[in-house]
Amino acid sequence: MTNKDFYSAIENRRSYYGISSEAVVSNERIQEVINHAVKHTPSSFNSQSARVVVLTGENHTKLWNITTETLRKIVPAENFGSTQDKMNAFGSGYGTVLFFEDNTVIESLQKQFPLYAENFPVWSQQSNGMLQHVIWTSLELEGFGASLQHYNPLIDDEVKKEWNIPSGWKLIAQMPFGKPTAPAGDKEFAPLEDRVKFYN
């Protein structure tokens, strides 16, 4: 990949909310892309504490049914229409990537390096964010559109029960993906001079 390709990939990664379940690449290719991202995304102390679960087919549908019914219990009925529309949109995709952090790894590092104990949870979140970006961009390069959602911790218990997730794994985010059916929305950018400072 050239520098231009890399910059284009970063720029083209957007939030897509209109997605379909049409296959863009094989499940084997999706697995290859995600395995590569998990293997090569950096982590503090090379902790490799990130965990990923990929749901497609009936499992993907089940996740968004679980989320829908969880939200139905807390969102007033008169306001549930827009929530239902969101759930339908996410559920209409091809799959969902679930991002976790393995707290047992983090706790082990805290014991080994007590001087940095309070930093390890922060560093793990930063690493997980990098992984989310790498997977998001990688899926985009394959022709998928995706978005990042956060229905944790509302759905954590049911997700762990349904897919036998270890108790030490903490759900961080959900990334529904599928073939784009509508373009990403316009994006505004704050002035870079307010956000970046150079001292040469």
Side-chain angles (χ1 to χ4, degrees):
M1 176 180 286
T2 65
N3 284 344
K4 185 177 180 180
D5 291 334
F6 176 75
Y7 296 143
S8 296
I10 298 300
E11 182 177 340
N12 292 334
R13 183 230 42 85
R14 297 292 309 282
S15 293
Y16 285 88
Y17 300 103
I19 53 176
S20 77
S21 60
E22 184 178 344
V24 176
V25 296
S26 68
N27 284 345
E28 289 75 19
R29 177 58 180 166
I30 295 170
Q31 183 174 347
E32 181 181 359
V33 163
I34 290 177
N35 281 345
H36 186 272
V38 171
K39 182 175 182 179
H40 294 290
T41 298
S43 59
S44 64
F45 286 65
N46 196 30
S47 62
Q48 302 175 58
S49 57
R51 303 289 182 263
V52 167
V53 173
V54 183
L55 306 175
T56 59
E58 292 180 1
N59 287 291
H60 163 75
T61 301
K62 187 175 293 183
L63 171 74
W64 293 106
N65 286 340
I66 287 172
T67 308
T68 299
E69 296 312 310
T70 300
L71 292 173
R72 196 187 304 277
K73 297 172 185 174
I74 60 175
V75 177
E78 61 271 20
N79 299 331
F80 197 72
S82 60
T83 299
Q84 183 70 69
D85 290 343
K86 281 185 180 181
M87 297 301 102
N88 291 344
F90 301 145
S92 67
Y94 185 82
T96 302
V97 183
L98 301 178
F99 295 89
F100 298 84
E101 280 293 309
D102 188 344
N103 279 334
T104 60
V105 174
I106 297 165
E107 291 165 4
S108 175
L109 285 167
Q110 289 175 313
K111 291 176 182 177
Q112 291 178 61
F113 306 98
L115 185 63
Y116 303 117
E118 65 182 22
N119 296 111
F120 283 115
V122 177
W123 291 337
S124 80
Q125 290 282 341
Q126 292 170 346
S127 178
N128 204 284
M130 287 190 279
L131 177 61
Q132 293 163 29
H133 188 262
V134 172
I135 288 180
W136 197 344
T137 305
S138 298
L139 290 173
E140 182 103 11
L141 283 169
E142 297 299 322
F144 286 113
S147 66
L148 192 65
Q149 306 302 320
H150 301 90
Y151 290 101
N152 45 291
L154 295 172
I155 62 173
D156 290 24
D157 291 343
E158 283 204 65
V159 165
K160 286 185 174 182
K161 180 179 178 182
E162 183 64 38
W163 288 285
N164 299 313
I165 306 298
S167 60
W169 292 19
K170 180 181 179 181
L171 184 59
I172 305 297
Q174 307 85 52
M175 185 178 289
F177 65 93
K179 182 177 180 179
T181 59
D186 293 334
K187 187 173 183 178
E188 296 183 359
F189 296 93
L192 286 175
E193 55 268 27
D194 294 341
R195 304 167 64 190
V196 184
K197 295 188 182 298
F198 289 91
Y199 298 95
N200 298 315

mmCIF file of all heavy atoms in Angstrom, residues 156-189:
data_model
loop_
_atom_site.group_PDB
_atom_site.id
_atom_site.type_symbol
_atom_site.label_atom_id
_atom_site.label_comp_id
_atom_site.label_asym_id
_atom_site.label_seq_id
_atom_site.Cartn_x
_atom_site.Cartn_y
_atom_site.Cartn_z
ATOM 1 N N ASP A 156 -24.797 -6.143 28.159
ATOM 2 C CA ASP A 156 -23.637 -6.982 28.488
ATOM 3 C C ASP A 156 -24.013 -8.379 28.969
ATOM 4 O O ASP A 156 -23.470 -9.383 28.486
ATOM 5 C CB ASP A 156 -22.780 -6.305 29.566
ATOM 6 C CG ASP A 156 -22.070 -5.067 29.038
ATOM 7 O OD1 ASP A 156 -22.562 -4.481 28.059
ATOM 8 O OD2 ASP A 156 -21.040 -4.680 29.614
ATOM 9 N N ASP A 157 -24.911 -8.464 29.939
ATOM 10 C CA ASP A 157 -25.218 -9.755 30.554
ATOM 11 C C ASP A 157 -25.809 -10.728 29.546
ATOM 12 O O ASP A 157 -25.412 -11.906 29.489
ATOM 13 C CB ASP A 157 -26.174 -9.570 31.739
ATOM 14 C CG ASP A 157 -25.508 -8.866 32.915
ATOM 15 O OD1 ASP A 157 -24.259 -8.815 32.947
ATOM 16 O OD2 ASP A 157 -26.237 -8.346 33.783
ATOM 17 N N GLU A 158 -26.751 -10.249 28.729
ATOM 18 C CA GLU A 158 -27.376 -11.145 27.747
ATOM 19 C C GLU A 158 -26.398 -11.564 26.664
ATOM 20 O O GLU A 158 -26.436 -12.697 26.185
ATOM 21 C CB GLU A 158 -28.616 -10.482 27.135
ATOM 22 C CG GLU A 158 -29.823 -10.512 28.038
ATOM 23 C CD GLU A 158 -31.127 -10.404 27.264
ATOM 24 O OE1 GLU A 158 -31.440 -11.323 26.479
ATOM 25 O OE2 GLU A 158 -31.813 -9.393 27.445
ATOM 26 N N VAL A 159 -25.529 -10.646 26.257
ATOM 27 C CA VAL A 159 -24.533 -10.976 25.243
ATOM 28 C C VAL A 159 -23.587 -12.054 25.778
ATOM 29 O O VAL A 159 -23.285 -13.041 25.094
ATOM 30 C CB VAL A 159 -23.737 -9.713 24.834
ATOM 31 C CG1 VAL A 159 -22.470 -10.086 24.060
ATOM 32 C CG2 VAL A 159 -24.611 -8.796 23.986
ATOM 33 N N LYS A 160 -23.136 -11.889 27.007
ATOM 34 C CA LYS A 160 -22.233 -12.876 27.594
ATOM 35 C C LYS A 160 -22.903 -14.247 27.708
ATOM 36 O O LYS A 160 -22.282 -15.280 27.444
ATOM 37 C CB LYS A 160 -21.762 -12.400 28.970
ATOM 38 C CG LYS A 160 -20.740 -11.276 28.909
ATOM 39 C CD LYS A 160 -20.219 -10.927 30.302
ATOM 40 C CE LYS A 160 -19.098 -9.901 30.216
ATOM 41 N NZ LYS A 160 -18.529 -9.576 31.532
ATOM 42 N N LYS A 161 -24.162 -14.237 28.085
ATOM 43 C CA LYS A 161 -24.894 -15.491 28.237
ATOM 44 C C LYS A 161 -25.115 -16.166 26.890
ATOM 45 O O LYS A 161 -24.920 -17.380 26.746
ATOM 46 C CB LYS A 161 -26.238 -15.220 28.925
ATOM 47 C CG LYS A 161 -27.090 -16.460 29.132
ATOM 48 C CD LYS A 161 -28.400 -16.091 29.834
ATOM 49 C CE LYS A 161 -29.290 -17.313 30.004
ATOM 50 N NZ LYS A 161 -30.590 -16.962 30.640
ATOM 51 N N GLU A 162 -25.519 -15.391 25.898
ATOM 52 C CA GLU A 162 -25.883 -15.949 24.593
ATOM 53 C C GLU A 162 -24.690 -16.546 23.868
ATOM 54 O O GLU A 162 -24.803 -17.581 23.213
ATOM 55 C CB GLU A 162 -26.535 -14.853 23.733
ATOM 56 C CG GLU A 162 -27.015 -15.328 22.372
ATOM 57 C CD GLU A 162 -28.133 -16.354 22.470
ATOM 58 O OE1 GLU A 162 -29.007 -16.215 23.355
ATOM 59 O OE2 GLU A 162 -28.130 -17.316 21.657
ATOM 60 N N TRP A 163 -23.537 -15.889 23.962
ATOM 61 C CA TRP A 163 -22.372 -16.341 23.197
ATOM 62 C C TRP A 163 -21.231 -16.845 24.074
ATOM 63 O O TRP A 163 -20.085 -16.898 23.634
ATOM 64 C CB TRP A 163 -21.905 -15.220 22.255
ATOM 65 C CG TRP A 163 -22.885 -15.041 21.124
ATOM 66 C CD1 TRP A 163 -23.042 -15.850 20.039
ATOM 67 C CD2 TRP A 163 -23.876 -14.011 21.009
ATOM 68 N NE1 TRP A 163 -24.068 -15.373 19.247
ATOM 69 C CE2 TRP A 163 -24.590 -14.247 19.799
ATOM 70 C CE3 TRP A 163 -24.225 -12.901 21.781
ATOM 71 C CZ2 TRP A 163 -25.629 -13.427 19.376
ATOM 72 C CZ3 TRP A 163 -25.265 -12.084 21.351
ATOM 73 C CH2 TRP A 163 -25.956 -12.357 20.169
ATOM 74 N N ASN A 164 -21.547 -17.225 25.291
ATOM 75 C CA ASN A 164 -20.559 -17.843 26.196
ATOM 76 C C ASN A 164 -19.286 -17.014 26.314
ATOM 77 O O ASN A 164 -18.166 -17.530 26.214
ATOM 78 C CB ASN A 164 -20.224 -19.265 25.718
ATOM 79 C CG ASN A 164 -21.432 -20.181 25.715
ATOM 80 O OD1 ASN A 164 -22.181 -20.225 26.694
ATOM 81 N ND2 ASN A 164 -21.636 -20.902 24.627
ATOM 82 N N ILE A 165 -19.462 -15.729 26.546
ATOM 83 C CA ILE A 165 -18.336 -14.816 26.683
ATOM 84 C C ILE A 165 -17.753 -14.956 28.087
ATOM 85 O O ILE A 165 -18.487 -14.943 29.070
ATOM 86 C CB ILE A 165 -18.790 -13.356 26.453
ATOM 87 C CG1 ILE A 165 -19.503 -13.210 25.105
ATOM 88 C CG2 ILE A 165 -17.605 -12.409 26.565
ATOM 89 C CD1 ILE A 165 -18.668 -13.528 23.906
ATOM 90 N N PRO A 166 -16.437 -15.090 28.218
ATOM 91 C CA PRO A 166 -15.834 -15.192 29.561
ATOM 92 C C PRO A 166 -16.215 -14.011 30.443
ATOM 93 O O PRO A 166 -16.347 -12.877 29.966
ATOM 94 C CB PRO A 166 -14.334 -15.194 29.258
ATOM 95 C CG PRO A 166 -14.228 -15.751 27.872
ATOM 96 C CD PRO A 166 -15.436 -15.231 27.144
ATOM 97 N N SER A 167 -16.380 -14.262 31.712
ATOM 98 C CA SER A 167 -16.851 -13.240 32.645
ATOM 99 C C SER A 167 -15.885 -12.065 32.745
ATOM 100 O O SER A 167 -16.290 -10.943 33.041
ATOM 101 C CB SER A 167 -17.073 -13.847 34.037
ATOM 102 O OG SER A 167 -15.858 -14.391 34.549
ATOM 103 N N GLY A 168 -14.601 -12.303 32.484
ATOM 104 C CA GLY A 168 -13.607 -11.244 32.594
ATOM 105 C C GLY A 168 -13.551 -10.306 31.403
ATOM 106 O O GLY A 168 -12.828 -9.309 31.441
ATOM 107 N N TRP A 169 -14.308 -10.608 30.350
ATOM 108 C CA TRP A 169 -14.313 -9.751 29.174
ATOM 109 C C TRP A 169 -15.316 -8.619 29.359
ATOM 110 O O TRP A 169 -16.485 -8.863 29.672
ATOM 111 C CB TRP A 169 -14.676 -10.521 27.923
ATOM 112 C CG TRP A 169 -13.667 -11.530 27.468
ATOM 113 C CD1 TRP A 169 -12.658 -12.080 28.212
ATOM 114 C CD2 TRP A 169 -13.594 -12.128 26.173
ATOM 115 N NE1 TRP A 169 -11.959 -12.981 27.454
ATOM 116 C CE2 TRP A 169 -12.506 -13.035 26.197
ATOM 117 C CE3 TRP A 169 -14.341 -12.000 25.010
ATOM 118 C CZ2 TRP A 169 -12.151 -13.793 25.085
ATOM 119 C CZ3 TRP A 169 -13.987 -12.757 23.901
ATOM 120 C CH2 TRP A 169 -12.892 -13.636 23.943
ATOM 121 N N LYS A 170 -14.878 -7.396 29.149
ATOM 122 C CA LYS A 170 -15.746 -6.230 29.264
ATOM 123 C C LYS A 170 -16.101 -5.716 27.880
ATOM 124 O O LYS A 170 -15.213 -5.401 27.076
ATOM 125 C CB LYS A 170 -15.050 -5.125 30.065
ATOM 126 C CG LYS A 170 -15.899 -3.867 30.234
ATOM 127 C CD LYS A 170 -15.146 -2.806 31.022
ATOM 128 C CE LYS A 170 -15.993 -1.541 31.166
ATOM 129 N NZ LYS A 170 -15.267 -0.486 31.922
ATOM 130 N N LEU A 171 -17.400 -5.611 27.604
ATOM 131 C CA LEU A 171 -17.857 -5.132 26.297
ATOM 132 C C LEU A 171 -17.581 -3.636 26.182
ATOM 133 O O LEU A 171 -17.931 -2.852 27.057
ATOM 134 C CB LEU A 171 -19.349 -5.415 26.128
ATOM 135 C CG LEU A 171 -19.987 -5.056 24.779
ATOM 136 C CD1 LEU A 171 -19.311 -5.800 23.629
ATOM 137 C CD2 LEU A 171 -21.484 -5.373 24.806
ATOM 138 N N ILE A 172 -16.940 -3.248 25.067
ATOM 139 C CA ILE A 172 -16.546 -1.858 24.849
ATOM 140 C C ILE A 172 -17.392 -1.180 23.778
ATOM 141 O O ILE A 172 -17.798 -0.026 23.925
ATOM 142 C CB ILE A 172 -15.060 -1.773 24.440
ATOM 143 C CG1 ILE A 172 -14.163 -2.469 25.473
ATOM 144 C CG2 ILE A 172 -14.634 -0.310 24.244
ATOM 145 C CD1 ILE A 172 -14.201 -1.852 26.844
ATOM 146 N N ALA A 173 -17.665 -1.882 22.672
ATOM 147 C CA ALA A 173 -18.382 -1.257 21.560
ATOM 148 C C ALA A 173 -18.912 -2.323 20.612
ATOM 149 O O ALA A 173 -18.487 -3.484 20.656
ATOM 150 C CB ALA A 173 -17.466 -0.295 20.807
ATOM 151 N N GLN A 174 -19.846 -1.892 19.755
ATOM 152 C CA GLN A 174 -20.423 -2.764 18.748
ATOM 153 C C GLN A 174 -20.309 -2.067 17.389
ATOM 154 O O GLN A 174 -20.603 -0.875 17.280
ATOM 155 C CB GLN A 174 -21.897 -3.060 19.030
ATOM 156 C CG GLN A 174 -22.163 -3.597 20.441
ATOM 157 C CD GLN A 174 -22.321 -2.491 21.484
ATOM 158 O OE1 GLN A 174 -23.105 -1.570 21.296
ATOM 159 N NE2 GLN A 174 -21.587 -2.566 22.580
ATOM 160 N N MET A 175 -19.899 -2.817 16.360
ATOM 161 C CA MET A 175 -19.716 -2.241 15.036
ATOM 162 C C MET A 175 -20.523 -3.022 13.994
ATOM 163 O O MET A 175 -20.053 -4.002 13.419
ATOM 164 C CB MET A 175 -18.231 -2.252 14.648
ATOM 165 C CG MET A 175 -17.922 -1.572 13.325
ATOM 166 S SD MET A 175 -16.142 -1.570 12.968
ATOM 167 C CE MET A 175 -15.559 -0.371 14.184
ATOM 168 N N PRO A 176 -21.773 -2.595 13.736
ATOM 169 C CA PRO A 176 -22.537 -3.226 12.664
ATOM 170 C C PRO A 176 -21.955 -2.838 11.306
ATOM 171 O O PRO A 176 -21.577 -1.683 11.092
ATOM 172 C CB PRO A 176 -23.947 -2.663 12.855
ATOM 173 C CG PRO A 176 -23.752 -1.366 13.575
ATOM 174 C CD PRO A 176 -22.536 -1.544 14.429
ATOM 175 N N PHE A 177 -21.884 -3.795 10.389
ATOM 176 C CA PHE A 177 -21.335 -3.517 9.062
ATOM 177 C C PHE A 177 -22.140 -4.251 7.987
ATOM 178 O O PHE A 177 -22.791 -5.254 8.262
ATOM 179 C CB PHE A 177 -19.853 -3.898 8.986
ATOM 180 C CG PHE A 177 -19.577 -5.377 9.137
ATOM 181 C CD1 PHE A 177 -19.475 -6.199 8.021
ATOM 182 C CD2 PHE A 177 -19.396 -5.947 10.389
ATOM 183 C CE1 PHE A 177 -19.214 -7.558 8.146
ATOM 184 C CE2 PHE A 177 -19.145 -7.307 10.536
ATOM 185 C CZ PHE A 177 -19.048 -8.117 9.406
ATOM 186 N N GLY A 178 -22.085 -3.706 6.792
ATOM 187 C CA GLY A 178 -22.786 -4.313 5.673
ATOM 188 C C GLY A 178 -22.490 -3.553 4.395
ATOM 189 O O GLY A 178 -21.718 -2.593 4.392
ATOM 190 N N LYS A 179 -23.104 -3.972 3.315
ATOM 191 C CA LYS A 179 -22.917 -3.265 2.056
ATOM 192 C C LYS A 179 -23.640 -1.928 2.134
ATOM 193 O O LYS A 179 -24.832 -1.882 2.465
ATOM 194 C CB LYS A 179 -23.467 -4.081 0.890
ATOM 195 C CG LYS A 179 -23.242 -3.411 -0.457
ATOM 196 C CD LYS A 179 -23.722 -4.278 -1.610
ATOM 197 C CE LYS A 179 -23.470 -3.581 -2.938
ATOM 198 N NZ LYS A 179 -23.907 -4.409 -4.091
ATOM 199 N N PRO A 180 -22.950 -0.813 1.845
ATOM 200 C CA PRO A 180 -23.606 0.496 1.938
ATOM 201 C C PRO A 180 -24.785 0.614 0.971
ATOM 202 O O PRO A 180 -24.687 0.217 -0.192
ATOM 203 C CB PRO A 180 -22.495 1.477 1.551
ATOM 204 C CG PRO A 180 -21.222 0.746 1.815
ATOM 205 C CD PRO A 180 -21.512 -0.692 1.513
ATOM 206 N N THR A 181 -25.884 1.134 1.481
ATOM 207 C CA THR A 181 -27.065 1.373 0.642
ATOM 208 C C THR A 181 -27.351 2.862 0.508
ATOM 209 O O THR A 181 -28.239 3.250 -0.241
ATOM 210 C CB THR A 181 -28.303 0.670 1.237
ATOM 211 O OG1 THR A 181 -28.528 1.177 2.567
ATOM 212 C CG2 THR A 181 -28.110 -0.834 1.296
ATOM 213 N N ALA A 182 -26.621 3.669 1.239
ATOM 214 C CA ALA A 182 -26.759 5.125 1.172
ATOM 215 C C ALA A 182 -25.410 5.733 1.515
ATOM 216 O O ALA A 182 -24.638 5.148 2.284
ATOM 217 C CB ALA A 182 -27.832 5.613 2.151
ATOM 218 N N PRO A 183 -25.092 6.882 0.955
ATOM 219 C CA PRO A 183 -23.792 7.501 1.238
ATOM 220 C C PRO A 183 -23.703 7.971 2.687
ATOM 221 O O PRO A 183 -24.725 8.192 3.350
ATOM 222 C CB PRO A 183 -23.737 8.678 0.265
ATOM 223 C CG PRO A 183 -25.167 9.000 -0.028
ATOM 224 C CD PRO A 183 -25.902 7.691 0.016
ATOM 225 N N ALA A 184 -22.474 8.108 3.147
ATOM 226 C CA ALA A 184 -22.263 8.696 4.475
ATOM 227 C C ALA A 184 -22.672 10.160 4.431
ATOM 228 O O ALA A 184 -22.623 10.806 3.383
ATOM 229 C CB ALA A 184 -20.799 8.565 4.877
ATOM 230 N N GLY A 185 -23.102 10.680 5.556
ATOM 231 C CA GLY A 185 -23.538 12.072 5.611
ATOM 232 C C GLY A 185 -22.373 13.042 5.476
ATOM 233 O O GLY A 185 -21.203 12.656 5.561
ATOM 234 N N ASP A 186 -22.697 14.289 5.266
ATOM 235 C CA ASP A 186 -21.665 15.324 5.200
ATOM 236 C C ASP A 186 -20.961 15.427 6.547
ATOM 237 O O ASP A 186 -21.562 15.210 7.601
ATOM 238 C CB ASP A 186 -22.277 16.679 4.840
ATOM 239 C CG ASP A 186 -22.828 16.705 3.422
ATOM 240 O OD1 ASP A 186 -22.318 15.928 2.589
ATOM 241 O OD2 ASP A 186 -23.757 17.492 3.155
ATOM 242 N N LYS A 187 -19.695 15.782 6.495
ATOM 243 C CA LYS A 187 -18.907 15.898 7.719
ATOM 244 C C LYS A 187 -18.228 17.253 7.749
ATOM 245 O O LYS A 187 -17.591 17.663 6.779
ATOM 246 C CB LYS A 187 -17.856 14.785 7.771
ATOM 247 C CG LYS A 187 -17.091 14.708 9.081
ATOM 248 C CD LYS A 187 -16.197 13.473 9.090
ATOM 249 C CE LYS A 187 -15.478 13.320 10.422
ATOM 250 N NZ LYS A 187 -14.641 12.107 10.458
ATOM 251 N N GLU A 188 -18.385 17.953 8.856
ATOM 252 C CA GLU A 188 -17.737 19.252 9.012
ATOM 253 C C GLU A 188 -16.455 19.091 9.822
ATOM 254 O O GLU A 188 -16.363 18.241 10.706
ATOM 255 C CB GLU A 188 -18.679 20.240 9.714
ATOM 256 C CG GLU A 188 -19.936 20.552 8.912
ATOM 257 C CD GLU A 188 -20.818 21.579 9.602
ATOM 258 O OE1 GLU A 188 -20.441 22.025 10.715
ATOM 259 O OE2 GLU A 188 -21.861 21.921 9.044
ATOM 260 N N PHE A 189 -15.468 19.921 9.502
ATOM 261 C CA PHE A 189 -14.177 19.842 10.175
ATOM 262 C C PHE A 189 -13.866 21.170 10.850
ATOM 263 O O PHE A 189 -13.932 22.224 10.222
ATOM 264 C CB PHE A 189 -13.071 19.514 9.170
ATOM 265 C CG PHE A 189 -13.228 18.162 8.523
ATOM 266 C CD1 PHE A 189 -13.899 18.029 7.316
ATOM 267 C CD2 PHE A 189 -12.729 17.023 9.132
ATOM 268 C CE1 PHE A 189 -14.056 16.784 6.719
ATOM 269 C CE2 PHE A 189 -12.875 15.769 8.550
ATOM 270 C CZ PHE A 189 -13.545 15.647 7.341
#
